[in-house]
Each structure stands twice: as C-alpha cells, then as structure tokens.
Amino acid sequence: MMILVHYTTQEFVFNTFKASGEITYQDRIEEVKNYYERYHRTQENLFLIISFTNNSKVDYRVGKITAINDSFIFNKVAKELSNILIEELGIRNSNTYDLGVFYKVLRIENKLEFRNKNLDRYSSKIRLKYFTWKELISNNEILFKKISDIIFNKDNVIKLASTYNPDLTYSQALITKKYFSALQNIGFISEDRININHTVLHGDIGEFLMHTLVSEFIESIGDKYIYPKLIFKTSPSMAVYGNDGSIYIPEKKEIYYLEAKFYSSLNQAINKAVDSLEKHNDDLHEDMNYSAELFRNIKTNRTNELVEITDDVTEKLIIFLICDDIYKEDEVKNMIEKNSNFLELKEKFETLVFVLPILDKNDFLEFFQAQSMLEGKEYYE
C-alpha cells in the first residue's frame, strides 16, 4: 500500500490538519490529486500523513483522502490507526524529511490486513486494520470480501487442507487441481450451490479462519507448527472429531489445542466451545507423536519435520469465536468475563480467546455462497 507523506517544518501548516476538512493550497492539492489519480483504482484506502519536523522532534497527523466532485477531503483517523500506519512505515523514531523535499510516497509492504488487539492477558479481538467500524457497518461487504479472500487464497488452502509437500515437484496444473479438490472436500465449492445452512460448513469456515489468523498472532521467534484437522476431510458433510487442530512451538515447549465456533451470539459461541472442549477433554492428553509428522512448519511449509513432541510440553487451549451480535471492545471483553463456563475452563487450563466480529452472519454466508459459485465456476465448467 502506498502512502502520501507531506513534510513540513511550519507549525501553522501542521495545525491545518488538526481536524478533518477540505485540502487547500494549490501545490498541496496538486500533490494529493496526483497521488489519488495514480492509486485510487488499485487501493481501497488512500492515506495522507502530515510529518512536522521541529528541530529533532517529529509529530504526525494521519487522515484518509476522499474525493468529492473536484475537491479532496482529509478525514482524520483515530490515534490507534495512526499509530499502526506510522509503525508499519517504520518512521516512529526516524526523521525521513530531506531538505527541500516536501512530498514522498512511501510503501507499506503487503501484510495481513487483519490485526489482533489484546483486551486483557487472555482475550483479544481481531478486526480489519485500515477500516473503521462505521465504514464496515455502512458496507459490510468490505469485511466479507477480505474474509473470503483468506478462504479462497490458494496458498492457504494448499497449506491447511492438502498433503502438499514443497520438497516435491508439482506442475502449476497439479497445484490448481489440489486446490480445487481441497475446496470441494471441505465443502467451500460445489457443483450445485453450497448449503449455507449446514452447520458443518459454519464450523469449517471457523476452523479455516482460525488456523490462518491465529497462527499469525501467536508469537514465536523460531519454528511454529500447525496441525489442521481439515486435511482429513473427504466430503463436506464429514465431521472430524476431537479438537479442531493444534499449534506447537518447540522453542517454548508449548502446544495449543484449538476449538473454533461460528454463531450469531458470542455468548452462545463461548458456551458451545467450552462444551466441545469438555466433551473431548481426553484428547488433551492424547499421544500427539502419533501424528507429529503431519504438523506443518509455517515458515518452511513442510510437513515431516517433526519426529516427536516432547513429553515436557505445556498444554494450553485456544478458542476462536466468530459472532455478529457485538463488536465493540468493551462489550466483547465484558461478555467473556461474565461467562461462567469460560471462567471454569480457565481455572483448569490456560486458555486464550480470539474473537472475530463478522457484523451479520446471514449476510456473510450469502456473500460467501456467491464467492463460492464464482470460484467453483472455473473447476466445474
């Protein structure tokens, strides 16, 4: 993503951007216009950062650029998003101003477009980085498209739902065949319209997103391994029993057992997740060495790297919940804190909770069905 940075050493210019408003001053308008015309067709968000240098100190103000008729509007963003952009550009503690150069276009390398915000030491909420909830509520298809892009990403599908081995030689045609075969086995595409009322489908969507997102947010310096159960599915209606998967971090001697739930109500999702974990509680003590070779290294994309999971690992739980009834941080945090079933589980096992608010479950499933038909069209025709 390309970001326009406007450098200034004049405080009155910096103060012009204290609040949202129309961009003025002809040279500034021309720079913003050039930036807009170059990138508005390929970027969903256009950001302008004002960088004010005062001696050795640098302050920033950040806004989104929108065009209305022949004018450009600076829409100041919240401090949280401002900090994210400044951190991702790597300019927090550096002055990138060059004498006499007042505008630069800087790049943020493509990264995961979702971020994870800790609500407390055991719960967190996942959301899109560069959009406000107001924007998403007014157009929830922005969120739905980003989620669908994760699910129909060929690399993600191959990694989570196939036996792909990067040490073997595959033609591009065979990779594509494996991709569509995996999608069909999971039930994400069908020659007929997929049944979006099928609860197994809801669970598989939850599992897929859980493995993709949570594996990014669990910190590890060294190798990190995932064991997705989706690889065992041979038909859409088939349920795979036991935990929904595992994440193993050898350097920390930690293994996480995963459970995903997708319900409209966050409270119901928590209760169902706790109930499922209690039902297969014995799985927490299963001999994971039986399937150690199936764990996939996230960095190398290889399986068959592990020969054993040591006996001295610490066992932990991860619950991944998708809901549509609440999305605000304080409401999510309060719902988790008040759930007695979760509190009881937390007394027995160290448990992390990740919540992905989806705004409208039915709307998402209908959108997903349409995306499924588009994706499957290439395979079935």
Side-chain angles (χ1 to χ4, degrees):
M1 181 168 63
M2 310 306 290
I3 311 291
L4 179 62
V5 181
H6 176 20
Y7 297 92
T8 183
T9 57
Q10 301 179 56
E11 189 170 2
F12 82 90
V13 173
F14 186 61
N15 289 337
T16 301
F17 296 91
K18 270 187 176 180
S20 301
E22 183 178 346
I23 292 173
T24 57
Y25 184 66
Q26 192 58 38
D27 286 354
R28 192 178 299 138
I29 292 171
E30 286 300 316
E31 291 288 346
V32 170
K33 181 180 179 181
N34 291 339
Y35 168 69
Y36 180 88
E37 289 181 347
R38 184 169 183 181
Y39 297 109
H40 82 278
R41 292 181 181 85
T42 57
Q43 290 187 189
E44 296 168 304
N45 291 297
L46 298 173
F47 290 102
L48 172 63
I49 296 179
I50 313 303
S51 174
F52 171 51
T53 302
N54 182 11
N55 296 321
S56 60
K57 183 182 178 184
V58 183
D59 288 323
Y60 298 100
R61 290 200 171 116
V62 182
K64 283 189 179 184
I65 299 297
T66 54
I68 300 178
N69 298 323
D70 295 327
S71 300
F72 294 97
I73 310 300
F74 176 84
N75 304 280
K76 191 176 179 184
V77 303
K79 190 68 175 177
E80 187 175 22
L81 177 52
S82 174
N83 288 336
I84 289 171
L85 290 166
I86 290 166
E87 290 294 334
E88 291 190 343
L89 283 170
I91 59 176
R92 167 68 65 197
N93 298 311
S94 62
N95 186 354
T96 55
Y97 170 61
D98 294 323
L99 187 63
V101 178
F102 301 108
Y103 295 91
K104 289 182 184 178
V105 176
L106 303 182
R107 177 192 295 273
I108 290 179
E109 295 300 327
N110 290 332
K111 297 181 179 180
L112 188 65
E113 294 189 69
F114 287 80
R115 64 185 176 92
N116 184 54
K117 183 173 182 181
N118 293 330
L119 304 180
D120 51 41
R121 67 183 185 86
Y122 58 83
S123 62
S124 57
K125 185 165 71 75
I126 299 171
R127 58 166 295 178
L128 278 175
K129 281 184 190 176
Y130 308 123
F131 292 91
T132 65
W133 283 113
K134 183 178 179 180
E135 290 172 315
L136 296 178
I137 290 169
S138 66
N139 183 8
N140 57 21
E141 289 194 359
I142 295 172
L143 176 61
F144 300 163
K145 180 65 166 62
K146 296 295 184 185
I147 291 173
S148 296
D149 286 347
I150 290 176
I151 294 173
F152 291 111
N153 177 283
K154 186 179 292 185
D155 289 340
N156 290 340
V157 173
I158 292 293
K159 177 174 67 177
L160 296 179
S162 83
T163 56
Y164 170 78
N165 182 346
D167 293 327
L168 301 178
T169 301
Y170 297 85
S171 66
Q172 195 56 48
L174 183 55
I175 290 286
T176 300
K177 186 176 181 180
K178 277 186 168 290
Y179 165 69
F180 283 116
S181 178
L183 285 178
Q184 184 172 247
N185 287 344
I186 302 172
F188 289 171
I189 61 171
S190 173
E191 193 164 5
D192 301 318
R193 193 183 295 259
I194 61 171
N195 181 3
I196 58 175
N197 296 316
H198 203 308
T199 56
V200 174
L201 173 66
H202 304 173
D204 290 340
I205 289 172
E207 285 186 42
F208 195 99
L209 292 171
M210 173 179 65
H211 282 289
T212 307
L213 295 171
V214 171
S215 62
E216 290 285 339
F217 299 137
I218 295 293
E219 294 183 359
S220 169
I221 297 174
D223 291 327
K224 185 165 42 177
Y225 294 86
I226 58 172
Y227 176 42
K229 296 288 185 72
L230 291 170
I231 193 174
F232 297 115
K233 289 198 64 132
T234 56
S235 72
S237 59
M238 173 187 175
V240 180
Y241 296 100
N243 295 307
D244 292 335
S246 305
I247 296 176
Y248 175 49
I249 305 176
E251 73 183 70
K252 295 182 178 180
K253 294 187 176 181
E254 293 177 345
I255 188 164
Y256 293 88
Y257 301 103
L258 314 180
E259 189 68 34
K261 295 297 178 186
F262 184 3
Y263 286 86
S264 286
S265 161
L266 176 57
N267 196 52
Q268 185 181 14
I270 297 170
N271 290 333
K272 292 289 186 180
V274 172
D275 184 54
S276 292
L277 287 167
E278 288 179 344
K279 282 181 179 177
H280 45 247
N281 182 48
D282 289 342
D283 291 346
L284 295 178
H285 304 287
E286 68 177 321
D287 183 5
M288 296 304 295
N289 287 310
Y290 176 77
S291 51
E293 292 84 359
L294 295 177
F295 278 72
R296 188 179 294 277
N297 188 322
I298 292 176
K299 291 182 180 178
T300 67
N301 209 14
R302 290 183 172 89
T303 55
N304 294 303
E305 286 190 0
L306 291 178
V307 293
E308 71 168 340
I309 295 173
T310 57
D311 294 333
D312 57 349
V313 293
T314 300
E315 296 177 320
K316 302 181 179 182
L317 303 179
I318 286 177
I319 298 175
F320 177 82
L321 308 169
I322 307 176
C323 66
D324 71 2
D325 59 337
I326 56 177
Y327 65 89
K328 294 180 179 178
E329 290 177 11
D330 56 342
E331 293 177 348
V332 171
K333 185 171 182 289
N334 289 338
M335 183 64 70
I336 295 171
E337 288 177 343
K338 291 190 300 183
N339 188 285
S340 59
N341 290 327
F342 172 70
L343 294 177
E344 288 180 16
L345 179 70
K346 194 161 64 75
E347 290 297 317
K348 301 173 186 175
F349 302 99
E350 183 174 337
T351 307
L352 301 179
V353 181
F354 294 84
V355 177
L356 173 63
I358 206 166
L359 296 178
D360 192 305
K361 181 180 179 180
N362 290 331
D363 281 358
F364 168 74
L365 289 171
E366 289 177 2
F367 183 91
F368 181 76
Q369 185 181 60
Q371 294 298 113
S372 167
M373 292 175 67
L374 288 173
E375 197 69 19
K377 188 175 181 181
E378 177 185 345
Y379 183 61
Y380 294 111
E381 287 189 349

